[in-house]
Amino acid sequence: MALIVKKFGGSSVATTEKIMNVAKRILNEKNEDDKIVVVVSAMGDTTDELITLAKGIAKEPYLYTREMDMLLSTGEQVSIALLAMAFKTLGHDAISLTGPQVGMRTNNVHTKGKIMGIEPKRVFDELEKGKIVVVAGFQGANDLGDITTLGRGGSDTSAVALAGALKADVCEIFTDVDGVYTTDPRVVKGALKMQEVTYLEMLELARLGAGVMQPRAVEMGKYYNIPIHVRSTFTTDTGTIIREEYTMEDKNHAITGVAHDCDVAKIAILGVPNTPGVAHSIFSALAADNVAVDMIVQSIRTAETNITDMVFTVSLDDLAQAKKTADAVAQKIHAAGVTYAENVAKVSIVGAGMLGSPGIAAKMFGSLAEAGINIEIISTSEISISCLVEGTKVKEAVQIIHKNFFGQ
Ligand code: ASP
Ligand code: MG
């Protein structure tokens, strides 16, 4: 017997025909004594349509976050009712339950709720009665019993958290890709599907620009130590399993994956006096203005002049504010000037244990050199190395790095 949580996103349940297909597939794959919980999103673009509806009433509907939650949570309720009916018409008993009914407790932040705890007694009771339990993703309730939502795309998080609370054997996330790849398959045709990847590496890949799984859902998986199986809605092939440790002894490759991120801008504060407290002045001003800084380098021009340049990156969204803040600070600390560039991008490699293997960094830098791509900034973490390169070259950078590490 296995207890399995399966999550199907909006595109997998976009029509009644698709809902029937989901139900048939689940029944086909189910072993007699398996206990199945299915978490679903709203049908197709329903959530967007509900937001449009609200805009017909209020110009800024997100000013009324409690009412938005009341509205948006209805999308998932349509899917659970229809899917539960689908199971019944196919001859298997099922029951639909909302987020509040499965004991999904959140904080009081409407439209961006955080899960505070889950008391899934009702789910266990219904499973015990032999029913397939169909749960509305994306929603919970605060202490007042008011319905809350978890932020756009939140039903992955609902599914993994519920799997954790139920101590399920696995949480399967069905999507339109068939797993996690060593890099974006749109950039590298020969990208390889991973059989497994650790939570930490998956989170790092997501942080550095890979867009497969919601980081919050992966964090939930890590917290509850629930394996997450990312697989295709359209095939029965095994996808990629995200878990704490690798189960296979031999990893074939020195790194796990290559990610890239074009949402980057570079700012340089030039001719900064090299004295104590200068870095603090710059970065505390940015923090006060809520600008998140990513890569940072301080370079000394010559030992004699005692003048440095401070170069850092921010996301494109933050660029306008970052420029304003940097200009003001530059004046205050008597820097020579500020320059910025939007045509930059970050290419990164991720893999546990790379810190202890200097050959890996050398191979990455060598790959970029081979392609004649200049590295502007390098930053490292325990499990990743990132290089800032010219924006127009980033795909070529991904391709050559991937080829040198993965052979294609
Ligand atoms: N229906 C919600 C959304 O579109 C939640 C989800 O799909 O995960 O954001
Ligand atoms: Mg959706």
Side-chain angles (χ1 to χ4, degrees):
M1 193 217 61
L3 172 50
I4 307 172
V5 175
K6 294 169 183 269
K7 184 259 170 179
F8 288 86
S11 56
S12 306
V13 294
T15 62
T16 48
E17 198 187 344
K18 287 185 174 176
I19 290 177
M20 283 307 291
N21 287 340
V22 165
K24 283 181 197 157
R25 174 188 183 148
I26 291 172
L27 292 179
N28 273 339
E29 285 181 353
K30 179 182 176 305
N31 292 318
E32 173 114 24
D33 53 358
D34 281 347
K35 296 194 152 102
I36 307 287
V37 176
V38 193
V39 175
V40 281
S41 302
M43 293 171 72
D45 296 328
T46 301
T47 310
D48 291 323
E49 289 157 16
L50 290 168
I51 294 170
T52 307
L53 202 58
K55 286 186 178 154
I57 298 286
K59 233 197 203 143
E60 302 278 358
Y62 276 99
L63 289 175
Y64 315 109
T65 54
R66 182 186 179 281
E67 306 313 323
M68 280 307 275
D69 278 350
M70 195 63 93
L71 177 70
L72 298 187
S73 58
T74 62
E76 272 67 15
Q77 277 167 233
V78 172
S79 336
I80 56 171
L82 294 176
L83 183 56
M85 277 185 220
F87 283 119
K88 285 168 182 277
T89 62
L90 294 168
H92 199 295
D93 204 3
I95 184 170
S96 60
L97 295 173
T98 63
Q101 283 175 313
V102 301
M104 182 76 67
R105 281 195 300 109
T106 72
N107 63 8
N108 196 26
V109 184
H110 281 291
T111 72
K112 286 186 195 135
K114 288 245 153 62
I115 298 172
M116 306 302 282
I118 306 174
E119 286 115 40
K121 180 174 178 310
R122 180 78 190 271
V123 180
F124 282 122
D125 290 349
E126 302 295 347
L127 287 171
E128 245 356 275
K129 293 180 200 158
K131 294 181 191 175
I132 291 178
V133 178
V134 184
V135 177
F138 178 55
Q139 54 176 254
N142 63 17
D143 285 344
L144 294 169
D146 288 349
I147 202 148
T148 53
T149 62
L150 307 179
R152 294 305 307 271
S155 45
D156 283 357
T157 308
S158 306
V160 179
L162 188 58
L166 293 168
K167 300 201 169 50
D169 296 288
V170 63
C171 180
E172 298 181 329
I173 304 279
F174 289 86
T175 107
D176 45 13
V177 294
D178 61 354
V180 182
Y181 279 75
T182 48
T183 195
D184 187 340
R186 288 167 301 188
V187 176
V188 177
K189 284 222 171 62
L192 306 167
K193 189 166 89 184
M194 299 177 194
Q195 281 182 283
E196 45 183 6
V197 59
T198 62
Y199 299 121
L200 277 181
E201 288 168 308
M202 191 67 232
L203 284 170
E204 189 74 349
L205 282 166
R207 183 180 77 82
L208 295 169
V212 199
M213 269 293 286
Q214 269 224 325
R216 258 175 92 193
V218 181
E219 274 165 19
M220 277 289 157
K222 179 167 169 42
Y223 177 78
Y224 283 112
N225 200 6
I226 286 286
I228 303 171
H229 184 178
V230 181
R231 56 188 307 192
S232 165
T233 308
F234 312 109
T235 74
T236 52
D237 297 349
T238 307
T240 303
I241 304 198
I242 310 170
R243 52 160 66 102
E244 184 67 36
E245 295 283 354
Y246 287 99
T247 54
M248 282 161 285
E249 286 201 18
D250 275 332
K251 276 196 67 195
N252 295 330
H253 305 288
I255 64 168
T256 302
V258 185
H260 72 284
D261 187 355
C262 297
D263 177 21
V264 188
K266 180 180 76 169
I267 298 192
I269 304 185
L270 304 171
V272 174
N274 191 13
T275 50
V278 163
H280 177 253
S281 307
I282 295 173
F283 294 105
S284 58
L286 289 161
D289 289 336
N290 282 318
V291 175
V293 173
D294 183 19
M295 306 167 107
I296 300 175
V297 264
Q298 172 182 297
S299 54
I300 297 180
R301 288 186 187 174
T302 65
E304 296 84 52
T305 57
N306 224 10
I307 292 263
T308 77
D309 298 324
M310 197 69 86
V311 186
F312 56 91
T313 63
V314 299
S315 80
L316 286 173
D317 280 349
D318 282 341
L319 178 61
Q321 179 61 51
K323 271 178 1 198
K324 245 181 160 174
T325 311
D327 281 334
V329 178
Q331 271 204 338
K332 209 173 99 196
I333 61 176
H334 307 293
V338 181
T339 66
Y340 65 93
E342 288 181 46
N343 178 27
V344 288
K346 190 165 72 170
V347 56
S348 307
I349 59 174
V350 172
M354 63 169 52
L355 207 59
S357 328
I360 293 181
K363 194 166 174 171
M364 180 185 195
F365 305 150
S367 304
L368 294 172
E370 193 186 321
I373 297 173
N374 192 40
I375 304 172
E376 300 192 31
I377 305 182
I378 297 167
S379 68
T380 62
S381 82
E382 219 155 288
I383 61 169
S384 68
I385 302 170
S386 302
C387 296
L388 193 75
V389 298
E390 202 180 297
T392 50
K393 303 248 168 87
V394 72
K395 289 195 174 152
E396 196 186 341
V398 171
Q399 285 157 354
I400 187 129
I401 292 168
H402 193 273
K403 183 156 183 285
N404 287 344
F405 279 99
F406 294 98
Q408 34 211 318

